[in-house]
Amino acid sequence: MPFLTSRDYVAGGACPSKATIHGKTVIVTGANTGIGKQTALELAKRGGNVILACRDMEKCEAAAKEIRGETLNHRVNARHLDLASLRSVREFATKILAEEEQVHVLVNNAAVMRCPHWTTEDGFEMQFGVNYLGHFLLTNLLLDKLKASAPSRIINLSSLAHVAGHIDFDDLNWEKRKYDTKAAYCQSKLAIVLFTKELSRRLQGTGVTVNALHPGVARTELGRHTGLHSSAFSSFMLGPIFWLLVKSPQLAAQPSTYLAVAEELEGVSGKYFDGLKEKAPAPEAEDEEVARRLWAESAHLVGLEMSHGSSVKGQPLPK
């Protein structure tokens, strides 16, 4: 493992599990940079067949090549996935179902943070659409494959910011209220924890587990819209504190790696991890009624048809 600084120890430690995943197929979304890239690297080191799922294919191919070179694992490939497009999500899932015999680990890592008031191709508020709805659809479309590959795992990256989140069912996509990018980010990350809880309930007895995690604040491109370094004053005043408390992407990838490989977590599902430790999430994140309602609303928004029982079938949106 590369040299760790004191700052890394302040922010949390390395994955305690030495487990390997030879022969297992792993998908990591948003894997061309930051935590996603480091997670893909860690899982490639452990022998996985790793698929980097990214919007920017040039960066994705470069990251895959770099990981292959560093790990000497040639089973690392780039695939196009734009989570701001339900059409792209469906195309990606269709390819995976056709090309991969099994999928053992899905790491829903990709995110946008505190961007301007943008909307996705389908008209969703960008943070809710990319961080949550895109992953909601992707996960559901891959569920049958994950079940057939059991024991398998789904890892959803949330954030400590979920504690400040609230699900506004009257205006999930910020069409009625004045846009608040921080509140929108927090809502998207709360939605991920609620999704994790409800999905875990639906997956009982299938051999597929799902957990959510806060990886820690990392030095990645994710914060490019936050304005932290947009002024000389903020860089000068906040810089030293920021750099002391945040993790390197390498360390921030350790919780995702741990949830993906640790043998002691087999069967653990529906939990929220703060770094490497299981913690209780915010009270709203544990509200079963809110979780069920959010699932139903999400299924409607992304064009998933509810079937009898607890499974969900993917249906294209009407033209």
Side-chain angles (χ1 to χ4, degrees):
M1 174 170 279
F3 174 73
L4 304 183
T5 67
S6 59
R7 178 176 58 244
D8 290 323
Y9 287 108
V10 167
C15 174
S17 174
K18 305 299 181 196
T20 58
I21 52 168
H22 293 287
K24 293 193 173 181
T25 297
V26 179
I27 298 169
V28 184
T29 69
N32 63 292
T33 188
I35 297 172
K37 182 180 176 182
Q38 288 297 323
T39 301
L41 174 67
E42 293 284 344
L43 297 175
K45 282 180 184 174
R46 293 168 186 260
N49 166 29
V50 182
I51 297 166
L52 282 62
C54 317
R55 181 178 58 83
D56 187 324
M57 279 305 290
E58 190 176 338
K59 288 182 179 177
C60 195
E61 293 280 10
K65 183 179 179 181
E66 184 181 327
I67 292 170
R68 287 194 298 268
E70 186 167 337
T71 63
L72 301 182
N73 178 350
H74 296 288
R75 296 178 306 280
V76 179
N77 294 289
R79 294 284 183 274
H80 181 259
L81 171 65
D82 182 357
L83 288 155
S85 163
L86 297 183
R87 175 181 49 79
S88 175
V89 173
R90 289 194 181 88
E91 287 172 356
F92 173 84
T94 299
K95 275 192 172 183
I96 293 296
L97 296 178
E99 295 174 4
E100 301 298 329
E101 287 185 24
Q102 295 184 302
V103 175
H104 302 93
V105 180
L106 171 62
V107 183
N108 288 322
N109 165 85
V112 289
M113 178 182 178
R114 289 172 61 178
C115 57
H117 192 187
W118 295 335
T119 55
T120 69
E121 180 179 291
D122 304 277
F124 307 133
E125 186 273 321
M126 185 64 72
Q127 295 177 99
F128 192 67
V130 170
N131 300 355
Y132 168 61
L133 287 175
H135 284 126
F136 175 87
L137 177 60
L138 174 65
T139 304
N140 274 293
L141 294 179
L142 296 180
L143 269 189
D144 285 346
K145 181 73 78 173
L146 285 156
K147 288 176 184 176
S149 311
S152 52
R153 302 181 184 190
I154 301 162
I155 294 111
N156 293 329
L157 268 75
S158 180
S159 167
L160 183 61
H162 86 274
V163 303
H166 171 66
I167 305 297
D168 187 335
F169 286 106
D170 292 326
D171 193 17
L172 287 172
N173 284 295
W174 294 85
E175 293 162 322
K176 302 171 185 175
R177 294 168 287 165
K178 183 177 186 299
Y179 187 62
D180 182 335
T181 186
K182 293 180 192 176
Y185 179 74
C186 294
Q187 176 184 253
S188 75
K189 291 300 184 177
L190 173 59
I192 289 166
V193 185
L194 287 161
F195 168 49
T196 301
K197 292 279 180 183
E198 177 64 10
L199 181 56
S200 175
R201 186 183 70 79
R202 290 164 177 261
L203 289 173
Q204 285 175 14
T206 64
V208 185
T209 61
V210 55
N211 292 290
L213 69 94
H214 166 59
V217 181
R219 302 190 301 274
T220 72
E221 292 178 16
L222 186 62
R224 62 186 171 271
H225 300 298
T226 61
L228 176 66
H229 299 296
S230 61
S231 76
F233 176 78
S234 63
S235 293
F236 178 74
M237 294 301 292
L238 295 178
I241 302 166
F242 181 76
W243 290 106
L244 177 65
L245 295 178
V246 299
K247 297 181 178 184
S248 63
Q250 178 213 342
L251 260 291
Q254 299 306 306
S256 300
T257 305
Y258 178 57
L259 265 62
V261 306
E263 290 160 346
E264 60 268 30
L265 294 181
E266 188 163 332
V268 174
S269 191
K271 305 300 182 186
Y272 172 78
F273 285 76
D274 185 342
L276 301 170
K277 305 288 186 188
E278 185 188 327
K279 293 265 179 80
E284 189 173 339
E286 304 208 80
D287 188 319
E288 292 180 6
E289 184 53 43
V290 172
R292 278 195 285 270
R293 185 178 175 189
L294 178 63
W295 183 289
E297 292 279 351
S298 304
H300 174 71
L301 286 170
V302 303
L304 280 174
E305 183 182 287
M306 301 299 290
S307 64
H308 296 296
S310 61
S311 64
V312 175
K313 300 285 186 186
Q315 299 291 341
L317 286 168
K319 298 281 186 194

